[in-house]
Amino acid sequence: VNRRSLSALLLLVLLAAACGQKAGVSQQAATAGGPAVAAGGDLGEPAVGDTTVTTAAGSSGSASGSTSGGAAGGTAGGSTVTTAPGASGGGDSGGAPPAGDRTGITDTVIKIGLHAPVTGAAPVPQQAFERGLPVYWNFVTRTMGGVFGRRVQIVFRDDQFNPAAAVRACREMVEQERVFLLIGAAGADQITACAKYASGAGVPYISAGVNQAGLSGLRGYFAGSQTYLQQNPMLAQLAKRTTKNNKFAVVIEDTPTFQESKASILSGARAQGLQVVYDRDITKNASQAEILTISSQLRASGADVVYFLGPPTALIPLAQQGQSQGYVPAYIGPGLSNGLNLVTAVGCPGLSNSLYLSPFPGLDAIDRLDANYRREYRSQTGSEPDDLGIALWGLNKSVHQFVLTAGKDMTRQSFVQALETGRVFASNVFPPVQYSARNHFGAASSHLLRADCSARQWKTAATFVDRF
Amino acid sequence: MLRDRQGLLVGTGIAAAAVLLLAAVGQQQALIIGLISGASYGLVALGLVLVYKSSGVFNFAQGEFGTVAVYVLWLATTNDVPYLAAIVLALAVAGTFGFLTERVVIRPLAASPRVTVLVASAATALVAVAVELWVGQARIRPVDPALARQDRVEILDVFISDQRLLIFVAIAVIAVALAWFFSRTNLGLAILAASQEPTATNLVGISVTRVSALVWTIAAVLGGVAGVLTGPLAGFGPGFLTIGSLVAAFTAAVIGGFTSLPGAFLGGVIVGVVQSVATSASIFQEIPGPQTASLFALLVVILLVRPQGLLSR
């Protein structure tokens, strides 16, 4: 019996040790006095997997006086993480750093991780991407001396338009590069996968708006522009205004992530009195036969407006095959990668009548909205500005506003809380956003792009529209 | 005689049954789409069959021979090289790529197990994709077709462009030429001999290494033809034939019988028809990825019922 008890005790000890601190768990010394407390490893939700736990001083010194350190704490990998009682964060009024996780922030640098599909099914030109990525932050460093005296360092990873690769990339940026927050540039499935990982790891995550399913309820996730669900009622209105025969078709990539969007656009179209004559899923890497079949069926359906939600690598051949079948409808949809000029460059003239909503304006409107972009892009890169650069400029500009609001001594927790205060963030490139604790999908407008196939570019038909 | 023609009879019978079945269920259009898209798969499959027939190697670099060719076509046409000259240049580069692949990758591994050569061919494809990414970036690019008219023929509400018709003509000419080459010329017979009895072939004075180099060069030119003809259909990017057509072409080659050149074409058409039916038929709508699933099911059935393929003896 004694031996059994001893074995059981040994097992318990081993189990406890195994559930304790793991590789990748960081500890940061408190920089101010006061008793050390453990801050919430996540952003108030039960953490899954690896967790960053930061030991910090439970001190005060906040403009907002908000409580940081996670709303309720949680269980991280089996170990208990407690909330920092009375610790406060946010604001930039000085004083001792608030309790919370400051991974990725030093006296001189703020590290931000960004992933995007440079390769894969929604390819983005790598050189253009790498050129455009640092332009905004270089501008901030030169003209404003950085963010609270710190230089922003962007760590970038290609997610290959693959959710598994995206999670690997995000994990690497969090655990090895030790970034403060993550940004997802494009790709709904990749953004969803990374946001879930980031939530488990207690890392704030910001992306352009995509789906809501799988993202709502993630405490650290914030959509920087309208989600598909928010755009769909507008797109149904747009379809009603655009159609000449009232026949409407829907083609959506067959990923579970988009099912909510499919239901939403179908009900929106019916609410507008549109006749839905075709409704089909398309695979991510659609074969020639699939593309030809769908374009033939679309033509036969007679739809003159087609809602398309999927990667450019499916939209481009669909438009081209449609055109080869003498069928050029108005493709409409929520834009992100489909609103880039690389799509019209190849998809025209099949995209001649197309209209896409987009979180960023076209090259023809950016000077009116932000005069700095073109000048900075040219002077920093020596190249002509492109719309991919606008997307990156706008996204980074929004993040800049978020960081400024979170304050000099921000932690991951106070950053989230600062965004939830209800303040309106208006970058004048991306649409204005306003978040609350209950709503992290805070945008209410988008830009409308119209394909100009004579120039093989998207032109801005309207800015910050919220209805048609 | 009848035994010799067994494969052809089986293939014809299946094709006739498929046509009747598609007509009966109202999927005639799938047949036309299958023919159109299947011809492209068949073109890639021809190169696969050629290499396998002569060396027993599953060549995973076949798609890249075509992709490299279409990149050369694009580079040449954007630099104002006349279209015909650009095509000749593209095919020459593809042929050189095939020749170099044989000399640098395949020949040093001649004594290695076939699986090693297979992996080496896959590695060659990956290197080619990396170079394409470096040269052309990860973006889809347009290239003009050889023939521009889109609505030359309309069958069952499907327009067939001149470029698609050109693919049909190309595949027919190539299949007939290769069949004649392997059955009627000394060089063709030498290639077959080298694949079946390399030592004996060497003993009668035929250089097996030269034969191997020739086969890989021809296969690469065939891949190049596939690239320059299919690339303009919907634009191209790094690895576009490997990603878009190689799996379908392998399936087509297996269905047709991996040593049959007409079988490669028939297999391509069957793959195209199956993908089209899986896209359009309502019974498949609730299945995620019905095109891939149905292709997989077809492959399993063929391998169980007639593992040597439809047109193989």
Side-chain angles (χ1 to χ4, degrees), chain A residues 348 452-457:
Chain A
C348 277
D452 176 1
C453 278
S454 60
R456 289 188 174 261
Q457 283 191 349

Side-chain angles (χ1 to χ4, degrees), chain A residues 7-20:
Chain A
S7 301
L9 188 65
L10 196 62
L11 267 172
L12 275 172
V13 169
L14 282 171
L15 194 63
C19 295

Side-chain angles (χ1 to χ4, degrees), chain A residues 249-254 278-284 286-303 306-308 314-315 317-319 321-322 325 327 329 331, chain B residues 29-30 33 158 275-281 285 290-291:
Chain A
V250 174
V251 179
I252 292 187
E253 183 191 332
D254 67 346
Y278 188 75
D279 160 24
R280 191 69 49 158
D281 289 351
I282 188 169
T283 49
K284 194 167 171 179
S287 66
Q288 281 187 50
E290 186 179 350
I291 293 284
L292 265 169
T293 305
I294 291 176
S295 63
S296 295
Q297 290 181 334
L298 279 171
R299 177 171 164 252
S301 75
V306 178
Y307 174 96
F308 180 89
L315 175 60
L318 188 67
Q321 291 303 331
Q325 299 297 311
Y327 176 68
Y331 294 95
Chain B
Q29 207 180 47
I33 290 170
V158 180
Q275 287 183 333
S276 180
V277 171
T279 304
S280 60
Q285 291 314 303
Q291 300 81 11

Side-chain angles (χ1 to χ4, degrees), chain A residues 346-417:
Chain A
V346 192
C348 277
L351 291 169
S352 293
N353 306 318
S354 297
L355 294 154
Y356 263 77
L357 291 177
S358 173
F360 51 89
L363 277 164
D364 58 327
I366 188 64
D367 292 342
R368 181 161 50 87
L369 297 173
D370 189 335
N372 291 318
Y373 168 71
R374 195 179 293 269
R375 187 179 61 243
E376 282 299 319
Y377 193 98
R378 275 192 185 134
S379 68
Q380 287 187 37
T381 68
S383 307
E384 275 305 298
D386 57 21
D387 56 345
L388 185 58
I390 298 176
L392 293 166
W393 177 278
L395 192 55
N396 285 325
K397 194 174 179 185
S398 296
V399 172
H400 184 200
Q401 293 189 334
F402 300 162
V403 171
L404 287 175
T405 302
K408 181 171 181 259
D409 298 320
M410 68 177 171
T411 65
R412 283 173 171 166
Q413 291 77 20
S414 70
F415 177 85
V416 169
Q417 286 168 346

